[in-house]
Amino acid sequence: QVQLVESGGGLVQAGGSLRLSCAASGGTFSRYHMGWFRQAPGKEREFVAVITRSESKTYYADSVKGRFTISRDNAKNTVYLQMNSLKPEDTAVYYCAAPKGGSSWYLPRTRYEYDYWGQGTQVTVSS
């Protein structure tokens, strides 16, 4: 099993930037694909980005593509989400997550494919 803890959320003005971090423990971090999801009040939890174990592949939701960047540092057991050009509609609780398995070539993009979740960190973007 693996435990995930997000940090870095906060209040930012539209057009600003934040970098979220997710620290992993209790497992071999480099074995896991890592994903970011977000959930706004009254909305379904939606996919944001995923990065493979080898850091060779990434995939982004259309809503954040070109603005957000996912990365990982296996030596620090940490995955990051750099968020630029933030918009009010980016306001949500952001979660990092990991699936138990998965091939090296497949990038899980739905919340049903993930088994381990962090507690979430709030991101609020003001207009």
Side-chain angles (χ1 to χ4, degrees), residues 12 18 29 43 58 67 73 77 87 116:
V12 64
L18 284 173
F29 179 74
K43 300 289 187 178
T58 60
R67 299 188 298 120
D73 186 338
N77 289 352
K87 305 174 181 179
Y116 306 111

Side-chain angles (χ1 to χ4, degrees), residues 39-61:
Q39 188 167 20
K43 300 289 187 178
E44 292 279 336
R45 189 169 299 185
E46 66 175 349
F47 169 80
V48 175
V50 61
I51 187 167
T52 65
R53 292 168 289 197
S54 65
E55 301 183 16
S56 62
K57 299 288 184 180
T58 60
Y59 184 81
Y60 299 90

Side-chain angles (χ1 to χ4, degrees), residues 36 47-51 57-72 80-83 107-109:
W36 284 97
F47 169 80
V48 175
V50 61
I51 187 167
K57 299 288 184 180
T58 60
Y59 184 81
Y60 299 90
D62 289 342
S63 59
V64 306
K65 191 173 184 179
R67 299 188 298 120
F68 291 10
T69 302
I70 187 171
S71 62
R72 66 192 296 162
Y80 304 95
L81 185 68
Q82 178 66 48
M83 306 185 295
L107 284 72
R109 304 169 195 173

Side-chain angles (χ1 to χ4, degrees), residues 6-12 18-21 83 92 94 121-124:
E6 303 96 335
S7 62
L11 176 64
V12 64
L18 284 173
R19 188 176 75 159
L20 306 183
S21 299
M83 306 185 295
Y94 283 72
T121 185
Q122 176 71 48
V123 172
T124 302

